Amino acid sequence: MSGDTGEMGLRERKKRRMYQAISEAAIGLFLEKGFDNVSVAEVAAAVEISKPTLFRYFPTKEDLVLHRFADHEDEAARVVSGRGDGVTPLAALRAHFLDGLERRDPVTGLNDHPAVLAFHRLLYGTPSLVARAYGYQERSEKRLADALGEGVEAALGAGQIFAVQRVLAMENWRRIAAGESADDVAPDAVAAAELGFRQLEGGLGAIGPS
């Protein structure tokens, strides 16, 4: 049994590495030539696999880019589900977002690394990628709603939480894209996050399981 488990773990790691290699090669080509100017066949050739094999990993061309968000899709739900005793869902999410700002997590928009800025320009400058990203956001929101509870209250709460985090991240990215450094934006980003979560606390109260 242990041998089977080890073999499955090895296969899973190899599969993850292949996902990563294909996605990174694709993003590199998209950044160099533009998303619409690179074919799926070119991406497949770059990683020396066939086009049908590539589609087994990534059903659409847009998924090659959105793979970078794969680990984040259930992040908010995991934060809520894994919070400590006596910690409210909003308190856990607030702490997680503030920690992300401190770490300059690209998801918070507070990152001025040239590669991150280039990726953001690729993402938000390509209509088909923006449309695909909405699907990712809807799935993330649904998973958070499930973690918060059942019914309309949980769904509304998840929607409001994601809206606040999205506005915060986009404002940070907008300022950095306009030329400000992450360090310069950081104090305002923290203050805005505190404000946003205070407003959520005022409107949502003790939403979610106790």
Side-chain angles (χ1 to χ4, degrees):
M1 182 68 71
S2 61
D4 292 341
T5 302
E7 186 177 340
M8 289 176 63
L10 177 60
R11 286 202 301 268
E12 182 61 27
R13 289 194 297 272
K14 289 177 68 175
K15 186 176 180 181
R16 286 177 177 269
R17 285 197 296 269
M18 180 58 80
Y19 269 107
Q20 187 71 17
I22 297 171
S23 177
E24 291 305 314
I27 290 170
L29 288 169
F30 296 151
L31 290 174
E32 178 186 353
K33 301 179 180 181
F35 183 81
D36 294 327
N37 298 323
V38 177
S39 68
V40 172
E42 285 182 75
V43 177
V47 290
E48 300 181 329
I49 61 174
S50 68
K51 187 175 175 181
T53 297
L54 185 148
F55 278 126
R56 285 203 295 270
Y57 285 93
F58 296 96
T60 73
K61 184 179 176 182
E62 288 75 17
D63 289 330
L64 289 161
V65 176
L66 271 296
H67 178 69
R68 279 200 179 176
F69 293 106
D71 291 340
H72 291 284
E73 188 165 302
D74 64 347
E75 185 172 352
R78 283 188 280 111
V79 168
V80 169
S81 298
R83 70 193 188 281
D85 293 340
V87 179
T88 68
L90 277 177
L93 290 167
R94 170 188 169 278
H96 184 73
F97 192 86
L98 290 172
D99 179 65
L101 292 174
E102 180 69 24
R103 291 183 289 106
R104 302 296 191 260
D105 188 333
V107 172
T108 68
L110 191 65
N111 188 304
D112 56 8
H113 190 285
V116 172
L117 293 179
F119 178 79
H120 279 173
R121 286 193 292 270
L122 169 68
L123 176 62
Y124 296 117
T126 308
S128 63
L129 289 174
V130 172
R132 193 73 175 178
Y134 280 131
Y136 152 80
Q137 292 168 359
E138 287 176 355
R139 291 190 299 273
S140 298
E141 192 175 304
K142 175 63 168 61
R143 292 188 179 191
L144 176 58
D146 290 342
L148 290 173
E150 299 179 354
V152 174
E153 182 181 13
L156 288 171
Q160 291 176 65
I161 290 165
F162 265 92
V164 166
Q165 293 187 153
R166 185 163 54 249
V167 169
L168 292 171
M170 289 301 293
E171 175 62 13
N172 294 338
W173 179 75
R174 182 193 66 78
R175 289 180 59 180
I176 289 173
E180 296 184 65
S181 72
D183 288 343
D184 287 341
V185 176
D188 288 343
V190 171
E194 295 281 15
L195 173 61
F197 278 93
R198 280 200 306 272
Q199 290 181 346
L200 284 171
E201 186 72 44
L204 299 177
I207 190 172
S210 57

